[in-house]
Every structure is written in C-alpha cells, then in structure tokens.
C-alpha cells in the first residue's frame, strides 16, 4: 500500500491525482502548514530528511521529489495505463522535457514571485515600506516578469499544435505541469483565459478529469497559495 505524505495546498495534490489516474490504491496522511510561515510541520522530516512534500512510502520504499515520484509511480504502478509514452518516441522526449521543465524552469520564477509578494506585504515600520516596494518592483522588472512572460508564451505556443504537453494523449507530464500552471493561474503571473487561451483550456481539461476530481475529494480542501 502506498502512503502519500500530503501537505495541504501543495504540490502533493498532483501525486494524489496521478494515483487516481493509475488506479493504484493509496492512503493519505495529511499535514497542515504552519499558519504563520506556511512551512511544513517538523513531522515531515521524520519521513524524509528534507521535510518537504510530496513524499511517498510504498511498502518501505520512500520516494521524494515530485518528478522522481511521477517516474517511480509510472514504472512501479503504471503498466498498461499509458501515462508514459513508449521510449524512443518524440512523445517520450517531450514527456521527459516537461517533467523537468515544471520544477526546473517554471517553478523558480513562480517561487520568487511568491517570496516578493510576501516581502511587499511584510509588517515593517512605515518608512521601510517604500524601500521594500521599490526592491520588489525592481526584481519583478528585471527577473520575474520577463521570465514568466517568456515561459507562458512558450507553453502557449507548444499547446497550439497538440492537446497535451507530451503529444495528442494525456500523460503524467500533464499531471506534473498542473501545479505550476495552477500557481500561475492563482495570480503569481500574468495568466488568464484571455492572455493564454490554449494554456487556460489545457488547465480546464486537466481539472475536468474525473481522476482529478477524485483526488480533490481524497486530499481535502485545496487551493494554491497565490
Ligand atoms: N522540487 C520539490 C519541491 C518540494 C517542496 O518545496 N514542497 C513544498 C510544498 S509545495 C513544501 O514542502 N513546502 C513546505 C516547506 O518548505 O516547509 C518537489 O517537486 O517535490
């Protein structure tokens, strides 16, 4: 039996979704974030030294890092489910690309955007506020906005010719991509149905899948931190 160590409102939601797509039995151990810092509670460090989520435990095999979990689950529980394209195909190359792109290229500027939203909203003496706002505006101008604009335009262009990230068929790469795109949709990037219609339609297709809906029921209330 697989246990998913699931931190509320986090990347681990997509692991529940993948397990529902695979039809693999699992149990959920849900952890609350610290309401002040939004960090994971210390109990998670007993499961894996980094103390982050997602982590899964499959009968004693502990796997962390969402991309590695997706690979592991497709290999160990994916036979006949068609969620990973056959090796050596263009679809397989795109699968690997998007699996890494999600955490390697898309999450970093989204995380910096989140950090600077916190910096802007920090409780500081009134005379410090304009300085913080000025720094945040500079970081947005020089790093966050140009990077997110380029990444969003690239994803939009990739989805112009196919329905899913790896090809014409849904794959686990779409599951991995869902979290950063949901974070972008939550307000961390200039992303809407008007600005990026293909990417927006892709996200709606993901969220309409019955397995996605079952994962929401299994994981408890879910909303991505804006
Ligand atoms: N690249 C890692 C990132 C893991 C990660 O940062 N998880 C967040 C949840 S979205 C977390 O545990 N945050 C709480 C903390 O850092 O204490 C992955 O994809 O698994």
């Amino acid at each position: 039996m697989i246990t998913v160590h699931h931190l509320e409102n986090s990347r681990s939601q997509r692991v529940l979704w993948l397990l529902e797509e695979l039809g693999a039995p699992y149990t959920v151990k849900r952890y609350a974030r610290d309401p002040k810092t939004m960090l994971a509670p210390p109990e998670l460090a007993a499961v894996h030294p980094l103390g982050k989520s997602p982590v899964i435990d499959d009968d004693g095999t502990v796997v962390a890092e969402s991309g590695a979990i997706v690979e592991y689950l497709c290999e160990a529980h994916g036979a006949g489910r068609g969620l990973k394209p056959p090796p050596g195909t263009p679809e397989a190359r795109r699968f690997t690309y998007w699996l890494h792109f999600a955490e390697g290229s898309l999450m970093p500027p989204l995380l910096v955007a989140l950090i600077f939203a916190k910096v802007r909203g920090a409780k500081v003496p009134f005379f410090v506020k304009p300085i913080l706002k000025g720094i945040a505006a500079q970081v947005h101008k020089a790093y966050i906005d140009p990077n997110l604009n380029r990444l969003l335009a690239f994803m939009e262009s990739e989805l112009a010719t196919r329905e899913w990230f790896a090809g014409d068929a849904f794959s686990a790469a779409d599951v991995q991509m869902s979290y950063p795109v949901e974070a972008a949709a939550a307000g961390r990037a200039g992303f809407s149905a008007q600005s990026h219609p293909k990417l927006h339609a892709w996200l709606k297709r993901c969220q309409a899948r019955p397995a996605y809906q079952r994962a929401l029921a299994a994981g408890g209330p879910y909303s991505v931190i804006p």
Side-chain angles (χ1 to χ4, degrees):
M1 176 62 98
I2 301 165
T3 301
V4 182
H5 295 275
H6 171 55
L7 181 65
E8 63 178 356
N9 303 328
S10 84
R11 285 162 169 90
S12 49
Q13 186 62 41
R14 65 188 163 186
V15 173
L16 307 182
W17 177 24
L18 180 58
L19 284 161
E20 290 290 344
E21 293 281 355
L22 290 170
Y26 64 95
T27 57
V28 179
K29 185 153 187 231
R30 189 179 157 98
Y31 299 79
R33 288 179 184 268
D34 181 300
K36 258 202 184 133
T37 64
M38 301 309 279
L39 293 176
E43 299 95 274
L44 261 173
V47 187
H48 184 277
L50 295 184
K52 298 204 183 270
S53 178
V55 190
I56 61 162
D57 184 331
D58 187 3
D59 281 335
T61 302
V62 176
V63 189
E65 192 64 51
S66 9
I69 294 172
V70 170
E71 290 276 20
Y72 171 83
L73 290 176
C74 287
E75 195 183 306
H77 299 275
R81 297 285 172 178
L83 288 186
K84 186 176 176 183
T89 59
E91 286 78 8
R93 278 192 298 280
R94 285 197 290 260
F95 175 93
T96 304
Y97 177 78
W98 292 108
L99 196 67
H100 290 276
F101 175 96
E103 287 294 319
S105 290
L106 189 49
M107 275 314 294
L110 288 168
L111 183 62
V112 178
L114 176 67
I115 292 166
F116 275 89
K118 290 213 177 305
V119 167
R120 267 198 316 268
K123 283 201 179 102
V124 289
F126 73 93
F127 55 87
V128 177
K129 201 84 184 167
I131 301 171
L132 286 189
K133 279 193 170 164
I135 295 171
Q138 272 308 313
V139 176
H140 262 275
K141 193 168 159 223
Y143 173 73
I144 300 171
D145 296 346
N147 275 290
L148 285 177
N149 290 344
R150 203 175 306 135
L151 291 160
L152 287 166
F154 174 54
M155 290 184 279
E156 182 72 9
S157 71
E158 288 286 300
L159 291 173
T161 53
R162 48 179 192 274
E163 286 240 315
W164 302 102
F165 275 106
D168 292 332
F170 172 79
S171 78
D174 296 294
V175 177
Q176 176 76 346
M177 283 293 291
S178 63
Y179 182 78
V181 177
E182 284 179 336
R188 288 192 220 173
F191 167 47
S192 67
Q194 287 71 37
S195 64
H196 301 86
K198 301 273 180 205
L199 186 61
H200 189 266
W202 167 86
L203 185 58
K204 292 287 159 208
R205 278 197 296 284
C206 288
Q207 292 170 338
R209 290 180 72 87
Y212 182 100
Q213 295 298 327
R214 288 197 300 276
L216 285 183
Y222 171 62
S223 68
V224 178
I225 301 163

